[in-house]
Amino acid sequence: MNKPIKDLKPITVEASPIPGSRKVYEPGVRFPDIRVPFREVALHESANEPPVTIYDSSGPYTDAGFTPDIAKGLPRLREQWIVDRGDVEYIEAREVKPEDNGILLRGGNVSEGALAPQFPNLPKVLRAKDGKSVTQYEYARQGIITPEMEYIAIRENLRRKEQAETVRDGEDFGASIPDYVTPEFVRDEVARGRAIIPANINHPEVEPMIIGRNFLVKINANIGNSAVTSSMEEEVEKMVWAIRWGADNVMDLSTGRNIHNIREWIIRNSPAPIGTVPIYQALEKVNGVAEDLTWEVYRDTLIEQAQQGVDYFTIHAGVRLAYVHLTAKRVTGIVSRGGSIMAKWCLAHHKENFLYTHFEEICDIMRAYDVSFSLGDGLRPGSIADANDAAQFAELDTLGELTKIAWAKGVQVMIEGPGHVPMHKIKANMDKQLKVCGEAPFYTLGPLTTDIAPGYDHITSGIGAAMIGWFGTSMLCYVTPKEHLGLPNRDDVKTGVITYKISAHAADLAKGHPGAQAWDDAMSRARFEFRWQDQFNLALDPETARAFHDETLPKEAHKTAHFCSMCGPKFCSMKISQEVRDYSAAMTDNERADIENGMADMSQKFRALGSEIDVPAE
Amino acid sequence: MNKPIKDLKPITVEASPIPGSRKVYEPGVRFPDIRVPFREVALHESANEPPVTIYDSSGPYTDAGFTPDIAKGLPRLREQWIVDRGDVEYIEAREVKPEDNGILLRGGNVSEGALAPQFPNLPKVLRAKDGKSVTQYEYARQGIITPEMEYIAIRENLRRKEQAETVRDGEDFGASIPDYVTPEFVRDEVARGRAIIPANINHPEVEPMIIGRNFLVKINANIGNSAVTSSMEEEVEKMVWAIRWGADNVMDLSTGRNIHNIREWIIRNSPAPIGTVPIYQALEKVNGVAEDLTWEVYRDTLIEQAQQGVDYFTIHAGVRLAYVHLTAKRVTGIVSRGGSIMAKWCLAHHKENFLYTHFEEICDIMRAYDVSFSLGDGLRPGSIADANDAAQFAELDTLGELTKIAWAKGVQVMIEGPGHVPMHKIKANMDKQLKVCGEAPFYTLGPLTTDIAPGYDHITSGIGAAMIGWFGTSMLCYVTPKEHLGLPNRDDVKTGVITYKISAHAADLAKGHPGAQAWDDAMSRARFEFRWQDQFNLALDPETARAFHDETLPKEAHKTAHFCSMCGPKFCSMKISQEVRDYSAAMTDNERADIENGMADMSQKFRALGSEIDVPAE
């Protein structure tokens, strides 16, 4: 039933270093075997500066000389750590059923050519022993520092040296960002529920990362096919492409055929945590008829996906029956796929949302694999008109209730957020979420700050994302130029990722996150000193920066030119600025004093003039 | 010496309606001859909604059936109003000299082929009689409502009806935005100096517009050649292209050859106000040697440009000798072209900036033509590291002094602003400028909220621009993807303009500007009802919106499809949402009451559970 590997379209994942960057790895101290990845940009020797260290999410694909073998998957770097904890056991995996790949039980067409092949090197499946909770939250609350936690502490410090004093320049609205991240700090944040480490025990390929207000702001990219377009090969390529440019997490939002098989290929080859929305696959299993969804089908889907290694589930347990009518007068109703599906189910059955009523059972499944909740914002506003309305905040209140229940079960939680929100309403979202959800991490989709620009919604939302990241949001879910218009392609994925890296970094800067500004400063020094190649290499997108420069000045000689085509050699302010600096440095103290005195005289005159509006012309 | 017209490359300015929009004109009441432009998007009849009125800056080029005659120029629509005021006279224009076009006095190569032709239908030049001030500010202070002021009032209302009560939903930080704009309100704002109407008496082709905090946020696009690239034909095309997509004003920042001739073609064909930085041309006249600049050369350049019809001059009179050393330790020194030129001059001569010492004489020239000041921020920060430093704010203090002097002379003033500013420092810029500059309009360049993304600086700055527009900035100067890398081409100009239209409109929304949200609401209703063509037509960029949709769903049938390729027919939340709304509406009161009661029971149970963190698993 599965497509033979030989018929597989050639997968051409981008496996090469980012231009100008070199992958480097730092070892652990408590856990000497861990190797934490970064990329390093070495500068021109005239800079007389050390290389710049940049956080890297691209995985082994950007290691020098790495040859991907997609059919084998990535190294299972966490496997031993997980097994060594002694609280998990190998189990008989749930059998994969035809309907997991969208092949219907009762007839229906099965086209051999459309099937994605099964991943050929399926690993054995782990699960917690004896109903234990094997989540990072559970370990943290027991005072245990896991290898994942040390890995993360090293990763977040960006190889900075711990200093006696770090000068802060930012506004963090009461966050608790440390000068220097220790493994103990990581443990404490996770124990408080203020941060999560999405890392399913069946996804040992993950390079551990953390989502929390007191850490670097993270971003998520969405991939996944739909009934209308895209294939497995394309989805794996998109995942590698998205993390290359900076996606910290990736969600597989597939809604078409072959969901199970596609997901396995993605997880086995992803160094980034993978999220899903299980209701999509559940809906496929009931042939797209929302009313036919049942708790049993959904439960089975949770287990299926948890055993594959999905790291977080978006679950719309806050779309309660009584809230649905609150959307009746909205301009854009319910824009969340999962939210609209559950709303339909509730009304059709005149019953409470089964995700809500079975919430504790969901927790029991997730705690056995360490799958984190991403409590879905099914009632988020999909237009400026609907922002901050009763439906949205009623759901948020419920998500707050559910957070406590999940924590009681030892399950990690983050909270999803809007949506479409005009700038003046953004802070209220953050304040309310902090208050209602016990400081669980916030994970927003934008928000879009206006509805008028389809084709440019990466920008309308990049504005809102930067702001809400500044206010305390921990992860920003990207939006591509294709939002509202169709499924994004590779270029769209890259544009969305770069835009959201901008938003996340602008937020880190505004929060005064220690060390964040080092990157901007290195770029600006390179710019001032006309180290063009360094400028390109330090850019979020070195290829585009260089290509844009070369459009008008392509020759190698231009790379040391003290101008570009914006102003040309006579008018380059950077060039003149350097001359000014030399002049200024060469002035004598007397010359400086003269200037000061002269200034005093002239200032007095103008102040006398200036204090009255109506001054006769001289 | 001038290139014959027959050798002119064919100019292909884009002269066609925006897809889906129709140009319409509203007449005046006080001045019945005025015709105020808008574009109107008619919706599908199933919408049962009136057409949406959108502010339009594209000029006659988008009128149905308009055939541009670039050698003739646009209709001189203000000419009679200006002459009728009786305070101007035709004068012998200053003679155009070879050095005005970069042809050196002492030898140097003159290449016939490189000269831009002279505009063939030069108009007669006007100037104020008897040293009068003929500025809109002067008229406003005398209590006069000019035709320009009524035109603007009509333009700003977007054909809204005046209502008894307008519900505000925004945060405007103490602005004074009226529910409905009257000509008297316009006059009052201009009289206070809180708004300016850039409209040189020698630029009668201008469709009057206003720049002020209590009006719609405006945007500026930059065009202009450099020594390295671009020609006159390209610059005229860029101007028409920029205003087509929404630029309210255009600055010609040319620094290459043929500055005078190029500018004449631009002004004669521009319905938008045109700004310049006169020091650029002055520098060309002294062969690029900043030290050779003199007040006399500069003064002559001001007169030359004022007589052509330039509407506002960027003048770096705040770059004072004593401030220059404050930039010595900056990371990126002085990034303003004009600022760096004046700084160099000051240090080379050990003298105060002649723009500062001759400021009143500059006012005397400008008042005679109604050229507005754009007081330059020569010491703006060009990197995150330099934001809000002593140099920047010292200059701002001086701009505040100079504002008073200009007003005393009856000259309109706006104040230029940064630059590169991390989000947490943006509001301080606005607050300080309001305080120091007597509420003169603020006109910022972005600001960029991080330095790390050359190639994407339209986005890094679009974030800062949206925020500072919200806080009270009146005009946002665009940044294109080519910033820091080279001169922008046509595509870059469009991308920059669309990005800044987004920022400006997001700011209007957040300020609660009356009527602003009507556009977003119309778009969102179209989206919810799957009126695809309406979505495209309402978009800031209809062509791109449609092209992106059609990449995956190109057929005409798809334009009424109740899904797109993002989710496909089964998963489209909009589609399901419509079903939910129908269900909900069909519920009986009893069914609703049952839901409410059921909710109450379940909520109590979960509240009891939720109030304690450690709850035993059931």
Side-chain angles (χ1 to χ4, degrees), chain B residues 146-416:
Chain B
T146 60
E148 287 87 349
M149 294 173 195
E150 185 186 25
Y151 189 107
I152 281 161
I154 295 168
R155 207 172 183 185
E156 292 279 327
N157 283 324
L158 295 171
R159 301 204 294 173
R160 281 185 301 124
K161 297 274 173 292
E162 187 162 9
Q163 285 166 330
E165 200 201 316
T166 305
V167 176
R168 294 290 182 101
D169 182 1
E171 168 57 72
D172 66 17
F173 300 102
S176 306
I177 304 166
D179 284 349
Y180 196 75
V181 183
T182 59
E184 168 56 26
F185 178 79
V186 174
R187 186 207 60 75
D188 187 59
E189 287 291 295
V190 174
R192 293 167 178 260
R194 208 151 63 181
I196 68 167
I197 299 173
N200 186 322
I201 57 177
N202 289 306
H203 190 186
E205 300 90 341
V206 147
E207 292 177 339
M209 56 82 70
I210 193 158
I211 300 171
R213 183 183 182 192
N214 297 318
F215 300 95
L216 294 164
V217 178
K218 306 303 190 301
I219 74 167
N220 177 89
N222 294 327
I223 62 171
N225 70 357
S226 77
V228 181
T229 185
S230 197
S231 70
M232 178 277 276
E233 295 88 348
E234 286 176 52
E235 295 311 317
V236 174
E237 286 168 10
K238 268 189 217 169
M239 175 275 289
V240 174
W241 188 241
I243 61 176
R244 176 183 182 79
W245 296 110
D248 296 287
N249 283 21
V250 173
M251 289 193 81
D252 172 11
L253 303 184
S254 292
T255 59
R257 304 292 297 287
N258 311 310
I259 290 177
H260 183 100
N261 287 3
I262 289 178
R263 185 170 48 239
E264 189 82 44
W265 287 88
I266 291 171
I267 296 172
R268 300 282 66 88
N269 287 286
S270 177
I274 296 294
T276 62
V277 188
I279 201 75
Y280 297 168
Q281 190 179 14
L283 187 66
E284 283 296 317
K285 292 176 183 177
V286 297
N287 201 19
V289 182
E291 299 90 318
D292 290 351
L293 283 165
T294 64
W295 160 241
E296 287 72 26
V297 168
Y298 188 80
R299 180 184 180 280
D300 183 59
T301 305
L302 290 181
I303 293 168
E304 170 196 348
Q305 298 198 4
Q307 292 190 355
Q308 283 185 294
V310 172
D311 302 287
Y312 53 105
F313 289 150
T314 291
I315 295 183
H316 298 92
V319 179
R320 297 195 60 185
L321 173 59
Y323 300 160
V324 175
H325 77 92
L326 295 174
T327 66
K329 292 194 160 46
R330 278 184 160 183
V331 174
T332 40
I334 299 171
V335 298
S336 154
R337 287 180 193 164
S340 62
I341 291 164
M342 293 318 298
K344 189 169 175 181
W345 189 93
C346 286
L347 292 187
H349 292 273
H350 292 289
K351 275 173 147 182
E352 186 61 271
N353 181 342
F354 64 79
L355 301 174
Y356 182 81
T357 54
H358 290 273
F359 192 74
E360 289 184 35
E361 292 156 82
I362 293 172
C363 291
D364 289 336
I365 293 167
M366 292 169 74
R367 63 187 254 133
Y369 299 93
D370 195 3
V371 184
S372 298
F373 275 110
S374 186
L375 289 178
D377 57 337
L379 302 184
R380 69 174 175 273
S383 53
I384 292 298
D386 296 339
N388 290 21
D389 76 350
Q392 178 189 341
F393 286 147
E395 179 181 49
L396 185 62
D397 283 340
T398 295
L399 298 189
E401 284 178 39
L402 296 174
T403 298
K404 296 190 184 105
I405 294 169
W407 282 345
K409 289 278 188 175
V411 182
Q412 304 192 76
V413 181
M414 62 181 167
I415 307 291
E416 291 185 7

Side-chain angles (χ1 to χ4, degrees), chain A residues 194-196 198 209-213 215 218 249 414 441 474-475:
Chain A
R194 206 152 62 182
I196 68 168
M209 57 81 71
I210 194 158
I211 301 169
R213 183 184 183 193
F215 300 95
K218 306 304 189 302
N249 283 24
M414 61 180 169
S474 307
M475 186 155 74

Side-chain angles (χ1 to χ4, degrees), chain A residues 242-533:
Chain A
I243 62 176
R244 177 181 181 78
W245 296 108
D248 296 286
N249 283 24
V250 173
M251 289 193 80
D252 172 10
L253 303 183
S254 293
T255 58
R257 303 290 300 285
N258 312 309
I259 290 176
H260 183 101
N261 286 4
I262 289 177
R263 186 170 48 238
E264 188 82 43
W265 285 89
I266 291 171
I267 296 172
R268 300 282 70 84
N269 287 287
S270 177
I274 296 293
T276 62
V277 188
I279 201 72
Y280 298 167
Q281 190 180 13
L283 186 66
E284 283 295 320
K285 292 175 182 178
V286 297
N287 202 18
V289 182
E291 298 91 317
D292 290 352
L293 285 165
T294 64
W295 161 242
E296 287 71 26
V297 169
Y298 188 80
R299 179 183 180 281
D300 182 59
T301 305
L302 290 182
I303 293 168
E304 170 195 347
Q305 298 198 4
Q307 291 191 354
Q308 282 186 295
V310 171
D311 302 287
Y312 55 104
F313 290 149
T314 291
I315 296 184
H316 297 92
V319 177
R320 296 194 61 184
L321 173 59
Y323 300 159
V324 176
H325 77 92
L326 295 174
T327 67
K329 293 198 160 41
R330 278 183 160 185
V331 173
T332 40
I334 299 172
V335 299
S336 155
R337 286 179 195 162
S340 62
I341 291 164
M342 293 317 299
K344 190 167 172 184
W345 189 92
C346 287
L347 292 186
H349 291 273
H350 291 288
K351 275 169 144 186
E352 184 61 273
N353 181 340
F354 64 79
L355 301 175
Y356 181 82
T357 54
H358 291 273
F359 192 75
E360 289 183 37
E361 294 156 82
I362 294 172
C363 291
D364 290 335
I365 293 167
M366 292 169 75
R367 62 187 257 134
Y369 299 93
D370 195 4
V371 184
S372 298
F373 274 109
S374 187
L375 289 178
D377 55 338
L379 303 183
R380 69 174 174 275
S383 53
I384 292 298
D386 295 340
N388 290 22
D389 75 352
Q392 179 190 338
F393 286 146
E395 179 181 48
L396 184 61
D397 282 340
T398 295
L399 298 190
E401 287 179 34
L402 295 174
T403 299
K404 295 189 184 107
I405 294 167
W407 284 345
K409 290 278 190 177
V411 182
Q412 304 193 76
V413 181
M414 61 180 169
I415 307 292
E416 290 184 9
H420 289 231
V421 184
M423 289 190 287
H424 68 293
K425 292 185 174 176
I426 291 179
K427 187 133 193 308
N429 276 273
M430 191 68 228
D431 295 342
K432 195 166 166 64
Q433 189 270 342
L434 280 168
K435 186 171 153 200
V436 163
C437 298
E439 296 190 279
F442 206 19
Y443 166 36
T444 59
L445 180 59
L448 283 72
T449 52
T450 169
D451 303 336
I452 68 170
Y456 297 79
D457 279 324
H458 55 303
I459 298 177
T460 61
S461 67
I463 294 167
M467 291 173 67
I468 211 169
W470 174 26
F471 299 150
T473 290
S474 307
M475 186 155 74
L476 308 169
C477 186
Y478 90 167
V479 173
T480 75
K482 289 285 168 56
E483 189 73 11
H484 300 121
L485 300 168
L487 205 67
N489 62 29
R490 239 166 92 97
D491 292 337
D492 300 317
V493 167
K494 180 180 178 185
T495 301
V497 169
I498 299 289
T499 300
Y500 272 67
K501 287 293 281 180
I502 288 169
S503 298
H505 184 76
D508 288 334
L509 282 179
K511 289 163 79 182
H513 198 106
Q517 196 175 311
W519 191 352
D520 301 75
D521 292 350
M523 171 68 81
S524 289
R525 286 188 296 264
R527 182 166 288 150
F528 190 68
E529 295 167 21
F530 297 100
R531 287 183 274 115
W532 287 103
Q533 199 57 57

